[in-house]
Amino acid sequence: MSKVDAGFGFEAAGSSGRRALAIVAVALASSVACQESLTQADSGVVASALRPALKIAQPLPGLPDIVAGTPPSPGTTELLARWEDSWNHGVVAGGLLREETYLAAGSLGLGSDSVTARSAIEGVRAAVAEVRSHGLPLSPHLNGALREAEHAVEKAERAGADGDWSVAGLKALRAADALRETSPRAVALTLVEAAEEVLGPPPGADDEEAADSARARRLVWWSRVAINAGGHELALQRAYYACLLLGVELP
């Protein structure tokens, strides 16, 4: 697997230390990716040498599942659309949109019955158990998400024990979303948006952009192309190298 094959578009050499580091990282990570491709599906960890993400086979409940028994209304339809749209953003921007959705759902009294809430809780518990069963060391951001999911599902269980199934369902949704944020797509979008924030708008026709910034901008563009095509792991790699070139502190 070559750098050209991976679609990174770096030159063979560079003058700056950061550019050289990025080039070395591309070569090493491309080699690692080739070696690990046969085991990633089994391990559940993607891009472990870069910005790790998780593949979780267990289906996670979403907002449509939680409010399935709620009578249709314009408010419910709008909330569902907002929750779905939140997954077109990275963890930072998408998380803010989802937080607004949770609060709005609670104020509207949307939620679950006992059967739906219990099913959601069981689904999240099974997903957490799946991740823990790998027995692999996880990066801090993955560990944080896993702990957040565990705490949220514990709150969901306590709400269920008190008979507050509406709250239980929404807490289970929070737990599921914490795990969903670790997916390759969500991680790739997070890196893309972090890089775009540093890059800002494209330079004008008469303006010249620094070489590292120009390369990072191309990587970000190709990362979005990969996301739209469903190539989330490739998108994650490209966005990671864009952040590396820009010196972005990863969220």
Side-chain angles (χ1 to χ4, degrees):
M1 180 182 294
S2 69
K3 287 176 283 185
V4 174
D5 293 336
F8 298 121
F10 283 97
E11 294 176 354
S15 58
S16 71
R18 187 171 67 246
R19 187 184 309 168
L21 176 62
I23 293 170
V24 171
V26 171
L28 290 176
S30 295
S31 174
V32 169
C34 290
Q35 295 173 10
E36 291 184 349
S37 61
L38 295 179
T39 61
Q40 283 175 349
D42 294 333
S43 71
V45 177
V46 173
S48 58
L50 308 176
R51 181 66 168 178
L54 289 175
K55 281 185 175 180
I56 300 176
Q58 169 66 31
L60 293 168
L63 184 58
D65 303 304
I66 299 301
V67 301
T70 303
S73 71
T76 304
T77 301
E78 180 185 352
L79 280 183
L80 290 173
R82 285 164 59 186
W83 181 84
E84 293 284 355
D85 181 62
S86 75
W87 296 106
N88 292 320
H89 301 276
V91 169
V92 178
L96 292 175
L97 292 173
R98 285 188 288 280
E99 187 62 32
E100 294 173 358
T101 302
Y102 305 144
L103 295 175
S107 65
L108 290 174
L110 303 180
S112 312
D113 56 22
S114 60
V115 174
T116 302
R118 284 195 182 102
S119 176
I121 290 170
E122 290 171 1
V124 175
R125 279 294 186 194
V128 169
E130 177 188 331
V131 175
R132 292 295 190 196
S133 71
H134 299 313
L136 298 172
L138 297 177
S139 64
H141 74 282
L142 295 183
N143 260 325
L146 196 58
R147 287 196 300 269
E148 182 181 346
E150 289 173 328
H151 292 159
V153 80
E154 287 169 2
K155 292 179 180 179
E157 289 171 336
R158 288 198 293 271
D162 292 336
D164 195 343
W165 296 110
S166 179
V167 170
L170 290 174
K171 294 295 185 184
L173 175 65
R174 284 178 176 269
D177 284 351
L179 294 177
R180 198 175 275 113
E181 287 180 351
T182 68
S183 70
R185 186 177 192 275
V187 173
L189 282 167
T190 300
L191 298 182
V192 163
E193 291 183 353
E196 287 175 339
E197 184 176 356
V198 172
L199 284 169
D206 298 328
D207 299 325
E208 185 175 352
E209 191 168 31
D212 284 350
S213 295
R215 288 188 178 90
R217 195 178 297 279
R218 289 196 295 273
L219 282 168
V220 166
W221 188 85
W222 280 111
S223 183
R224 285 204 175 275
V225 169
I227 290 171
N228 292 335
H232 302 139
E233 295 172 46
L234 179 57
L236 192 160
Q237 292 172 8
R238 290 169 173 170
Y240 174 83
Y241 297 126
C243 288
L244 190 64
L245 279 170
L246 296 169
V248 174
E249 184 175 348
L250 301 179

